[in-house]
Amino acid sequence: MSAEPKPAYKASDFKSDIAPIWCPGCGDYHVLLSITRALAQLGKPPEQVAIVSGIGCSSRIPAYTNCYGFHGVHGRALPIATGLKVIRPDQTVIVTTGDGDGYSIGGNHFLHACRRNLDLTMIVMDNHIYGMTKGQPSPTTEPDLDTALTPGGTGLRPFNPLVIALASGANFVARAFAGNIGQTTSIIVDAVTHPGFSFVEILSPCVTFRPDQRSWKTQVHPAPVDATDDPARAARRIMTDDGFNLGVLYRGNRQPYTPKFGGSGCDLSELEREFEL
Amino acid sequence: MSAEPKPAYKASDFKSDIAPIWCPGCGDYHVLLSITRALAQLGKPPEQVAIVSGIGCSSRIPAYTNCYGFHGVHGRALPIATGLKVIRPDQTVIVTTGDGDGYSIGGNHFLHACRRNLDLTMIVMDNHIYGMTKGQPSPTTEPDLDTALTPGGTGLRPFNPLVIALASGANFVARAFAGNIGQTTSIIVDAVTHPGFSFVEILSPCVTFRPDQRSWKTQVHPAPVDATDDPARAARRIMTDDGFNLGVLYRGNRQPYTPKFGGSGCDLSELEREFEL
Amino acid sequence: MQLAEISSVSLAFLGSGGAGVISTGELLLEAACKNGWYGLLTRSVGPQIRGGEAAAMLRLATQPVDCHADRFDLLVAVDWLNAQRFALEMPLGPRTIALCDPESGAVPEFVRAAGVRVIELPLKAMTAANPEWRPNMIALGAALRVLGLPEDAARAAIENRFGDKGAAVIVASLAAVKGGADAVESGVLPARLPAPAASGTARWRISGNQAVGLGAVRGGVRFAAAYPITPATEILEWLALNLAKVGGALVQAEDELASINMIIGGSYAGAPSITATSGPGLSLMVEGIGLATAAEVPIVVVDVMRGGPSTGIPTKSEQSDLNIALYGMHGDAPHIVVAPQSVSDCVFTAQWATYLAEAMQIPVLLLSDQFMGQAHAAIDRPADVAFVGQRRIARDIAGTYRRYSLNGPNVTAMALPGTPGGQYTADGLSHSERGTPSSAASDHRAQLDKRANKVHEFDFGDHWATLHGSGEIAVLTWGSVTGAVLEGIALARTDGIDVRVIAPRLLLPAQPERMAAALGGVRELIVIEQSHGAQFYRYLRAHYHLPRNVRVVNSAGPLPLRPGDIYRELTAERAA
Amino acid sequence: MQLAEISSVSLAFLGSGGAGVISTGELLLEAACKNGWYGLLTRSVGPQIRGGEAAAMLRLATQPVDCHADRFDLLVAVDWLNAQRFALEMPLGPRTIALCDPESGAVPEFVRAAGVRVIELPLKAMTAANPEWRPNMIALGAALRVLGLPEDAARAAIENRFGDKGAAVIVASLAAVKGGADAVESGVLPARLPAPAASGTARWRISGNQAVGLGAVRGGVRFAAAYPITPATEILEWLALNLAKVGGALVQAEDELASINMIIGGSYAGAPSITATSGPGLSLMVEGIGLATAAEVPIVVVDVMRGGPSTGIPTKSEQSDLNIALYGMHGDAPHIVVAPQSVSDCVFTAQWATYLAEAMQIPVLLLSDQFMGQAHAAIDRPADVAFVGQRRIARDIAGTYRRYSLNGPNVTAMALPGTPGGQYTADGLSHSERGTPSSAASDHRAQLDKRANKVHEFDFGDHWATLHGSGEIAVLTWGSVTGAVLEGIALARTDGIDVRVIAPRLLLPAQPERMAAALGGVRELIVIEQSHGAQFYRYLRAHYHLPRNVRVVNSAGPLPLRPGDIYRELTAERAA
Ligand SMILES: Cc1ncc(C[n+]2csc(CCOP(=O)(O)OP(=O)(O)O)c2C)c(N)n1
Ligand SMILES: Cc1ncc(C[n+]2csc(CCOP(=O)(O)OP(=O)(O)O)c2C)c(N)n1
Ligand code: SF4
Ligand code: SF4
Ligand SMILES: [Mg+2]
Ligand SMILES: [Mg+2]
């Protein structure tokens, strides 16, 4: 009732009592922490936040929070979030997904959600691997990674999700590193606050199937320049960076999409007129 | 047997005896003509060419040619072409599709086929509409087009397939206009000849549901600069052009993907060794 | 054998694309309907998107009709271009009259072979003399006269349709109609439509697809996600316009994987939600439907069936998606399958489907088909019924919220986003009462029981089937074939054959007790359906005890079954 | 009641993640097998990807075994962390021995409650004394001694597995095994494995998933497209490595919509092609399977079933994808469904599936399940059989090529790209003999007939089912449940109950005449399956004439059926 200046929520208010099943050391623990901290900062009560995911280690996040959640099927988090947000624009809706769920099987929804530009935030925990199914290449996996499914490597160039997001019309594009909890938290706050479709790629190491990713913490560094609002410039920068630039890279100003609702609506009998003779 | 300098084939050698069911004046007639002319120029016999499509007016093309063809289900032309090309690298494989088939339901395969970079050519007849199902918006439709499914327009920014193709790794990107048969023919020849995944977007008017597209012929113009081999530059150019620049816009030099075949192969009994004790 | 019971006349307008025969048919339906008759209009067109041959097939009657008759009484050809391709769809006979212009081409073989009586209608000459007359309007006038309807009957319909084209068009059209009427004699037709009896209810002209949209909105639907596909698109288009009017919304999706998951999201958020598709789209939705079953999210999925398999025949009807609708989900995935039986019944069944989905928090599949979906019918306004979606919602939540509680009713209260204390994660993984993923056998089996029991406990009431008659011979049928079956047995009754009809509107869950009662005393059973693989028959065997003596009439699409087909099956049965 | 007929011992290794109990199990299976026994090994792990609790469950026997026994004879716990969650999977009894270290935690409730005899194995003390000994190797040695196997039996297996870790590891491991063996007494176990009889064939250790891969390659498969999913991934991984060796290839796809269509493209191009998935992936493939039916492109689709519906329980077995496999396609879409019955049978059935697909130019679905797919078995080398895919290919083509010709056999010669004169467009639309799209009723029905008839005319021979015994009581079952059923009836036979078993390996098309013969003289039928919805029973009703007296034992996953469950059903039947 009384207007209080100090934050109403702590990160723990957004954490559920369910113990994550992740491997010890998995980057996703840090992402979970950053999300709950960001939500505490954002200051909406947990019941006004909904977190939607697909299937994968990363997609386990919703049930570990104390928000409304939907752990859907593999690759379809964005459509579920779309339906949810259209019907309940008052909710803060966050999609948490992985590089397999979001970029491989879910690639088409990624394209079209960027384009649709609803006021959603998509957080991808990118570990360049399918963790949950025990180590197959994802679209961001390096071409020479030897796996049982691709002996000797895929031979395919990893794709650049940030450029795809930009090309498809995302309104906010950022890269974070799971281990940098402070920066990741503030990027998430920024992404949720920014209107329209916000895309946050988080480098989140898979210690089990990509132990080499432990070195990421030494490779990441802040982006040398500030975010731009020119998508062509942002795309060019990202296409030529080293993949470890962290920060908000693009901040657009497209109007978010709001579906046309008929307000409270007419009487049903009005719909019948067209059939009457 | 004897080496002849003059072309062995005429465009009509690549045309089947089946009458197209397109509306009179549809741009796809011109595309069909350009494809058959290009094939004649390429000089391989019809049985060494396979044309694969999904569902839509534009996807009707395969049966109108005298090549091997596959008219698959909606959105899945690229995977069928992928399987075909992997097994028969000797065949020239061309995918013919539309903006709905290729960019909406087929968007994920578009992303991943560009990335996979097999030696295929994808030709999209883009009419900014679903023709076959009588006029619903596609991903390239203008936001204000009033249709029965989207009264008052979609309110969504059309997406830019050429930039997506570049961002995903296509090795050749061009834009053509159906009505310019000569230029379209030579772009197709170029695309098929270029190694790796070649993407050709053809503006092909739908006279029935987009009669306004009759004006395209006055809007198109040659691209002011030559193709580049720098994807970032190409992306920037396309993101800022007027959408009517015609010509080859990007010509990459990535090695095409060739799946690892084991040559003629070992005796099956060798596979059994791992099970023996 | 006469269609005396129905008192209907059947006619078709034929012409090439652009000749406007479809509008002629629509105008005639509207005219007849405004003057008190009932009717049915279906369209057939060539494979071309625009510009090919087209036919409007009408049946006008003094009572509601749900199928076409066995023969056309009247054929009006604006021209004969490629008319041959309608041969199988257009049964003709020596009592049929064809009106046509000898200058518009030779009478096609199938018309001549049927012994049709050809009467000249000099369209070319008339339009040459009156350049502002359109041939299809002349054809309309001629048809009105032959049918014995006053040509003025079409005035209101014409004014309505051409209102925004200006007075000149209306005047010319009315003149052409009058000219056409005067060019032919009345009384040439052996059959005649008696004057309509007054009906107490308002008369509607509506298609089955519109009717599904309306029924769903009546049942409470406020959200739809759409990916276009023939022959379901009109449902989505109707909803796009009309949901917005009642405070709802429709979103166009990038594909069917998106549309099914969007409505799951919308329904999770609290809005009764729907999508509509046809076979190929349904194939892409089955994973999502299974998720809705597991997470207990109510949704309505409409499948307007077309010829299959695969892309099949998009513009023609078949009942061959029954299997996928009943059994298409992986795992044990209880859900509901309902099927309307006529254009009018589409309103009721779609409303009921929404009610059932919300009541049981379950996916409901509604199987319509191209025949009734795209048919336009003149019907009585469908009655208002009380079925409106009422979801069990968790409101004031104290203590730990158990979304999938096993203590109490199997339909458990659902918390909507925003409700304090109701936070839970809906999940397609096997889960505990709270929704937490679990691979324990106990949780798995308890939730499988819960989901199965909530369906089996539900009382579906009398709407489960249309039951008719009481003979020892019974016909079991479903969907849009029901109309032809009911007419067929009416014909048989004039021969003294008494036949019972059982047409389940509720296909899943099966209702073994109700079916046993309905089949009581039946000695011979005839199963009639429109699928090559006898899918309905196999379904009946799987779920019901059938009499020993069963005959199966399973005729694949695309040709519809007609009353005479049914009559012949029944009389053949007797002769055998 | 004793498991005398089987002469097997059952044991489990338990421990937390990292304890290495799974490798211990694998080493023991290999050791026993190298010394002439047969066996089966299954694994159970917690939901964690790494680091959770794990159990290796083994059964070693003097003859091939296809299921677990009713009780474990021996439990070896490296530690007890979260062991309680294995309670239901691990039936114990007073005759069970548990080896464990009191220092590694308290004996869990389910072990104590079963009256298990606990024998101490001082793992902590031993590893403290010998830091290079790993507890799981000590456990292995102890198990060898208790089972009465010489500890040297494991030497070759250990050398094989640790070969690349260097001599020191091998020496330490062998020492730990010896230490473990010496720490326990032999003779504590009431059951004992007799010495194995020599077998004429080579002995293999193979998983069901590997067996499917091998069978497919034997049948001619040379192309695969892959999207990973538990529990099918190992098939794809095996194929990735091995297809390359035989001149084939595997491509990883972006999703299952791509993988199914990639193999359609590969097969159209001439390569016998396969993909493997589980329920959620199959859901996404049904549209493609329908296309393969309509365009007549041979493909093999393997579904390794897991708990459903939706994401369900990815790591546990169930037989609940039967419905979608049989009926999951829209339209009338004839296809073949086969199901292997054991790890060994996976080789045969996958080979046969490939042969059938190629012979009929049709999609073949192979239903395996998590239980047999991920089980490792020690078996006799599966026999070579003559089924190798032989597609009818059009070679020297003169005149108009009719891909879907109606003149001649229903399986029509297929032209491969590159063949002059054979150009045609494969199509999922209804089509003419040449493949040209057509919506004519005549073309539609003729091609529906062709596709149905090519299946119904085919002679599937004796492989359609496993038939066993001749009693008046019959059990109808399928898939991996067959192993437990066969053992269960062997137990019943010792009680003088003679039971017939009919286990169809071919589920679609149904074989009514063969089934009628197999059921001749049966008075009572028991249907046994692992689905909540009695999917197999409904399928049997739909397609076969069953005896009046039918009982259904439909037990949902994830717990496997065991011989004793079957035995109890049979004896209950008798008592009733
Ligand atoms: C339709 C379907 N296909 C495949 C799977 C198997 N599957 C589960 S998670 C996953 C990959 C997840 O990768 P990613 O999104 O990168 O998540 P991570 O585990 O790496 O966090 C796959 C292939 C599935 N559950 N459903
Ligand atoms: C799974 C599925 N969904 C929907 C359809 C219906 N459908 C057929 S073609 C088409 C759109 C085609 O648009 P486009 O690719 O732009 O082709 P055009 O007709 O404009 O050339 C749609 C939605 C279908 N056949 N299958
Ligand atoms: S497998 Fe990798 S991504 Fe999954 S929980 Fe373990 S470390 Fe994390
Ligand atoms: S509807 Fe449009 S795209 Fe289709 S054939 Fe006609 S003009 Fe061409
Ligand atoms: Mg990942
Ligand atoms: Mg288009």
Side-chain angles (χ1 to χ4, degrees), chain D residues 77-414:
Chain D
V78 172
D79 61 60
W80 289 117
L81 181 94
N82 288 328
Q84 185 69 34
R85 70 178 302 280
F86 297 119
L88 284 173
E89 293 178 63
M90 224 167 263
L92 309 170
R95 296 163 60 115
T96 307
I97 307 286
L99 295 180
C100 57
D101 185 351
E103 288 190 50
S104 304
V107 176
E109 174 56 27
F110 80 101
V111 179
R112 268 187 292 120
V116 167
R117 180 174 159 208
V118 176
I119 296 179
E120 293 193 7
L121 181 66
L123 290 166
K124 290 242 149 119
M126 292 168 77
T127 50
N130 306 278
E132 71 289 1
W133 290 10
R134 294 198 54 217
N136 64 334
M137 290 295 120
I138 302 173
L140 175 61
L144 288 168
R145 175 67 52 87
V146 170
L147 296 176
L149 272 66
E151 59 265 18
D152 213 47
R155 173 180 296 274
I158 286 172
E159 286 173 351
N160 186 18
R161 168 165 298 229
F162 299 128
D164 49 2
K165 296 209 172 161
V169 172
I170 294 175
V171 169
S173 297
L174 291 173
V177 167
K178 174 97 180 59
D182 290 344
V184 290
E185 281 173 66
S186 72
V188 291
L189 210 62
R192 224 151 187 230
L193 214 48
S199 131
T201 16
R203 189 69 42 89
W204 280 11
R205 197 201 42 202
I206 190 169
S207 74
N209 279 345
Q210 293 170 325
V212 164
L214 177 68
V217 173
R218 279 189 176 181
V221 159
R222 289 301 176 270
F223 180 56
Y227 192 76
I229 187 166
T230 308
T233 309
E234 298 89 0
I235 297 178
L236 302 165
E237 291 177 339
W238 191 88
L239 287 169
L241 199 65
N242 288 282
L243 274 179
K245 295 187 191 155
V246 296
L250 175 140
V251 173
Q252 185 182 348
E254 51 271 29
D255 58 22
E256 288 89 348
L257 304 160
S259 53
I260 187 76
N261 282 285
M262 283 180 181
I263 64 167
I264 292 172
S267 179
Y268 169 88
S273 299
I274 198 169
T275 189
T277 187
S278 189
L282 184 61
S283 285
L284 295 171
M285 291 183 183
V286 293
E287 193 197 19
I289 295 170
L291 173 62
T293 285
E296 302 196 45
V297 179
I299 50 170
V300 178
V301 177
V302 178
D303 173 15
V304 186
M305 296 180 288
R306 62 192 218 183
S310 197
T311 314
I313 313 185
T315 53
K316 301 284 176 186
S317 208
E318 198 162 69
Q319 292 186 312
S320 55
D321 293 353
L322 180 60
N323 273 346
I324 183 174
L326 295 169
Y327 305 113
M329 274 54 73
H330 72 270
D332 288 299
H335 60 283
I336 313 287
V337 181
V338 296
Q341 300 173 344
S342 66
V343 171
S344 175
D345 194 34
C346 283
V347 178
F348 169 77
T349 305
Q351 178 169 354
W352 194 45
T354 311
Y355 161 78
L356 295 175
E358 295 288 315
M360 283 173 274
Q361 299 178 12
I362 201 165
V364 177
L365 272 64
L366 184 149
L367 288 177
S368 177
D369 62 33
Q370 186 277 335
F371 181 80
M372 65 184 150
Q374 295 194 320
H376 287 251
I379 58 172
D380 287 324
R381 174 181 183 281
D384 290 306
V385 291
F387 295 116
V388 174
Q390 295 281 8
R391 198 184 291 188
R392 266 198 83 196
I393 302 284
R395 286 179 216 276
D396 303 306
I397 299 165
T400 305
Y401 172 59
R402 294 197 156 70
R403 168 68 185 99
Y404 306 107
S405 170
L406 298 168
N407 270 323
N410 284 310
V411 177
T412 44
M414 186 168 169

Side-chain angles (χ1 to χ4, degrees), chain A residues 17 46-47 63 66 68-69 71 76 79-80 83 88 91 108-109 116 261-263 265-266 271-272 274-275 277, chain C residues 33 203-205 218 238 244-245 247 252 254-255 262 265 268 381 416-419 422-427 429 434:
Chain A
D17 56 0
E47 68 269 15
N66 185 31
Y68 279 88
H71 188 202
R76 316 293 165 211
I80 290 186
R88 293 295 301 275
Q91 288 275 309
N108 202 32
H109 311 306
R116 198 173 280 116
F261 272 88
C266 67
L271 306 190
E272 299 186 357
E274 69 168 306
F275 306 124
L277 282 168
Chain C
C33 181
R203 189 68 44 88
W204 281 11
R205 198 202 42 202
R218 279 189 176 181
W238 191 88
K245 294 187 193 156
Q252 185 183 348
E254 52 271 30
D255 58 22
M262 283 180 182
Y268 170 88
R381 175 182 183 280
L416 301 185
T419 312
Q423 298 98 297
Y424 75 102
T425 295
D427 208 315
L429 280 161
R434 284 181 59 194

Side-chain angles (χ1 to χ4, degrees), chain B residues 55 57-58 74 98-101 127 129 131-133, chain C residues 228-229 256, chain D residues 287:
Chain B
I55 301 290
C57 294
S58 37
H74 190 35
D99 43 325
D101 195 70
N127 52 14
I129 199 80
M132 174 132 283
T133 50
Chain C
I229 188 167
E256 288 88 349
Chain D
E287 193 197 19

Side-chain angles (χ1 to χ4, degrees), chain B residues 95-180:
Chain B
V95 169
T96 54
T97 173
D99 43 325
D101 195 70
Y103 305 149
S104 193
I105 192 168
N108 203 32
H109 311 306
F110 176 40
L111 280 184
H112 290 279
C114 290
R115 181 168 104 80
R116 199 173 280 117
N117 198 28
L118 267 174
D119 190 16
L120 294 175
T121 299
M122 178 183 188
I123 295 176
V124 181
M125 282 148 268
D126 191 346
N127 52 14
H128 303 0
I129 199 80
Y130 290 6
M132 174 132 283
T133 50
K134 301 188 189 285
Q136 298 80 28
S138 85
T140 50
T141 299
E142 302 78 351
D144 55 353
L145 186 81
D146 186 53
T147 76
L149 191 61
T150 56
T154 60
L156 302 185
R157 193 180 69 166
F159 93 176
N160 193 327
L162 295 101
V163 182
I164 305 278
L166 273 171
S168 331
N171 208 27
F172 176 102
V173 172
R175 190 191 280 125
F177 170 61
N180 292 2

Side-chain angles (χ1 to χ4, degrees), chain B residues 57-78:
Chain B
C57 294
S58 37
S59 290
R60 288 261 175 178
I61 288 227
Y64 303 150
T65 76
N66 185 31
C67 304
Y68 278 89
F70 209 125
H71 188 201
V73 293
H74 190 35
R76 314 295 165 211
L78 283 166

